[in-house]
Amino acid sequence: MESTIPSSFSPSTEAVRARSIDWRLGIPTYVYAVVFASLCIVWGLLWDIMWHISIGRDGLFAPPHLVMYVGAVVSGLFSGYQILSMTFRKNHPERAGSVRFWGIFYGSLGALYCVWGAMAMLTSAPFDDWWHNTYGLDVQILTPPHTVLVLGMMMVQFGAMIGVLALQNRTRSQTLANDLDQRRASRLKLLFGIAAGLLLTVLYVLLSENMGKWLMHNSLCYTTAAIAFPVYLLAVGRASLLKNPLTVITFVYMVTLLIPNWSLPLFPATPKLGPVYNPITTYQAFSFPLLLIVPAFALDQLMKRYKGNDWILAGLAAVVFMVLFLAVQWPFGEFLHTSPYARNWFFLSNAWSYDSSPDWKYRYKFHPSLLEPPAVFFKNFGFAILYAAISARIGLWWGNWMKRVVR
């Protein structure tokens, strides 16, 4: 007996179509694309740092740069397509809830950030190449072309986070009537946690010169952390719908940082720029992440239990974050910098750049000039708690704004 089912609707075709819908769970493809682009940017940046401390010389199309360019192109193309689709399809289902700009275009807020960020990143590439050809090698991180690049990178990553956030926030007041809705809501929560963790990783990298293991017994490390981390952590913690958002976000940060730091040293690398004081043969790791996950877990518990005034919450959060950060990072910094048990592939303390002497007497101990008298350290630490309270209050305000983003 012949089948009466048309070939276009055969069970196998329907199964393929169902699987195609299933993996996205109704979430726009561009959202997955921009989160992937954010990951490319982070890992390209980390590879670029390890390239510089292991090889030295690079160029416009060096492999780490190409990975970052992939992130820029992917975010720009997918976000640009979403904007053009909303603009020229007047019956687009998401157009009514989009942002209109320049009087012509329609798009989500996240897509706009991603397009602007991608344009800035791609503009910075030839600008940086011209800068090197004109002025030679960089002697500092934030040269004008690098500043444009960093702003573009963080804008793409912020756009990825906001793109997920808008979709997540639409589920806040919805009744999740079926299994698909519940799975979609769970996927959006996780995607927001990943996007926020990736942006946290870049924030740490940009500030890492003030928080290296050699500075973990100096108040500068804790002052920098007090200014930078509470504002971000409390903002994303308030905006997220995860059960323990800050624990998840800081875990993503640690994994994102550790994967290239553990994997790249397995590959060969030789210096191509002198002077070479340390004749290495493999990539050198960047750094082991800060133990932010410990104070982050405590902040999660505080934010779940305390529902009072945000000014009081900011003060409590500042004390909790700073005290726990000091309690774990001070001894861990001692371990990383001085212990022979940290000089391995896991803790990465044996990594050393090609242009640094391996026999430097302070390679594995704190430099006296970076050690402060206890009175000076605790005075500065007290100010750091104050800075953390201000930072936390701004973060809570920012988080309240992010909870309202639905476009």
Side-chain angles (χ1 to χ4, degrees):
M1 181 176 178
E2 295 184 0
S3 172
T4 59
I5 300 175
S7 60
S8 60
F9 293 95
S10 64
S12 60
T13 304
E14 286 297 309
V16 170
R17 187 177 301 168
R19 285 195 297 270
S20 175
I21 296 172
D22 183 66
W23 78 264
R24 287 186 300 167
L25 298 177
I27 300 170
T29 304
Y30 98 92
V31 171
Y32 293 101
V34 294
V35 173
F36 170 74
S38 181
L39 177 63
C40 289
I41 287 170
V42 176
W43 279 353
L45 176 63
L46 291 170
W47 188 4
D48 192 45
I49 292 172
M50 287 184 268
W51 181 286
H52 278 282
I53 63 178
S54 308
I55 297 174
R57 181 181 294 129
D58 65 3
L60 181 62
F61 297 108
H65 294 173
L66 293 177
V67 175
M68 288 190 280
Y69 300 157
V70 166
V73 170
V74 168
S75 64
L77 287 179
F78 277 85
S79 299
Y81 175 80
Q82 191 238 27
I83 291 170
L84 294 176
S85 178
M86 282 191 184
T87 300
F88 295 109
R89 285 178 54 196
K90 294 185 179 180
N91 61 343
H92 195 288
E94 297 182 15
R95 180 167 176 168
S98 64
V99 177
R100 187 181 182 186
F101 64 104
W102 294 348
I104 302 174
F105 297 101
Y106 293 83
S108 68
L109 190 60
L112 295 179
Y113 278 116
C114 285
V115 168
W116 293 334
M119 292 173 62
M121 286 183 65
L122 295 176
T123 300
S124 73
F127 183 23
D128 189 47
D129 191 55
W130 170 84
W131 185 272
H132 283 296
N133 292 333
T134 304
Y135 298 106
L137 295 174
D138 299 323
V139 294
Q140 55 185 4
I141 294 177
L142 290 180
T143 60
H146 286 178
T147 301
V148 176
L149 173 64
V150 167
L151 290 175
M153 288 166 50
M154 298 191 76
M155 196 173 293
V156 167
Q157 292 192 291
F158 185 67
M161 191 171 74
I162 290 296
V164 179
L165 181 68
L167 296 174
Q168 175 201 261
N169 286 347
R170 295 176 196 174
T171 68
R172 284 182 183 270
S173 58
Q174 293 179 355
T175 301
L176 305 179
N178 53 56
D179 179 64
L180 180 61
D181 288 341
Q182 294 173 1
R183 290 168 60 197
R184 183 187 299 115
S186 298
R187 177 75 59 83
L188 287 169
K189 294 176 190 178
L190 181 59
L191 284 172
F192 179 76
I194 293 171
L198 294 175
L199 182 52
L200 176 62
T201 307
V202 169
L203 179 63
Y204 162 72
V205 170
L206 295 178
L207 300 172
S208 59
E209 289 186 344
N210 288 347
M211 293 184 287
K213 59 186 179 181
W214 59 91
L215 277 170
M216 289 180 185
H217 285 185
N218 186 283
S219 59
L220 177 62
C221 172
Y222 301 92
T223 301
T224 303
I227 296 170
F229 293 134
V231 61
Y232 183 77
L233 292 176
L234 268 69
V236 295
R238 174 153 285 186
S240 176
L241 294 178
L242 288 165
K243 184 177 180 182
N244 290 295
L246 298 184
T247 307
V248 172
I249 289 166
T250 50
F251 177 77
V252 170
Y253 146 78
M254 292 189 73
V255 171
T256 303
L257 196 60
L258 285 171
I259 287 176
N261 274 288
W262 283 342
S263 59
L264 279 176
L266 300 175
F267 294 91
T270 53
K272 295 183 179 179
L273 190 68
V276 177
Y277 297 116
N278 184 28
I280 58 177
T281 57
T282 60
Y283 275 101
Q284 299 299 292
F286 170 51
S287 72
F288 197 89
L290 300 173
L291 299 181
L292 293 174
I293 196 168
V294 175
F297 177 77
L299 289 178
D300 274 333
Q301 310 317 306
L302 175 64
M303 294 179 71
K304 283 192 291 188
R305 287 164 172 75
Y306 183 82
K307 303 299 180 183
N309 183 276
D310 276 356
W311 287 98
I312 297 175
L313 176 58
L316 292 173
V319 173
V320 168
F321 176 81
M322 292 305 300
V323 169
L324 286 179
F325 183 63
L326 175 65
V328 296
Q329 205 62 52
W330 181 285
F332 191 63
E334 175 87 24
F335 169 76
L336 284 180
H337 199 41
T338 65
S339 174
Y341 297 106
R343 301 167 200 171
N344 51 54
W345 67 272
F346 188 90
F347 291 109
L348 313 170
S349 290
N350 55 345
W352 201 243
S353 65
Y354 73 88
D355 58 352
S356 300
S357 172
D359 299 322
W360 189 46
K361 65 178 181 178
Y362 294 112
R363 179 177 177 180
Y364 294 121
K365 64 180 180 179
F366 291 99
H367 197 287
S369 66
L370 299 177
L371 297 175
E372 300 169 309
V376 173
F377 177 87
F378 283 108
K379 172 190 169 185
N380 293 337
F381 188 78
F383 280 111
I385 293 177
L386 176 61
Y387 303 148
I390 298 170
S391 176
R393 185 62 187 92
I394 296 171
L396 292 171
W397 171 82
W398 184 18
N400 289 334
W401 173 81
M402 287 203 290
K403 286 173 66 176
R404 298 192 297 270
V405 173
V406 292
R407 296 188 175 191

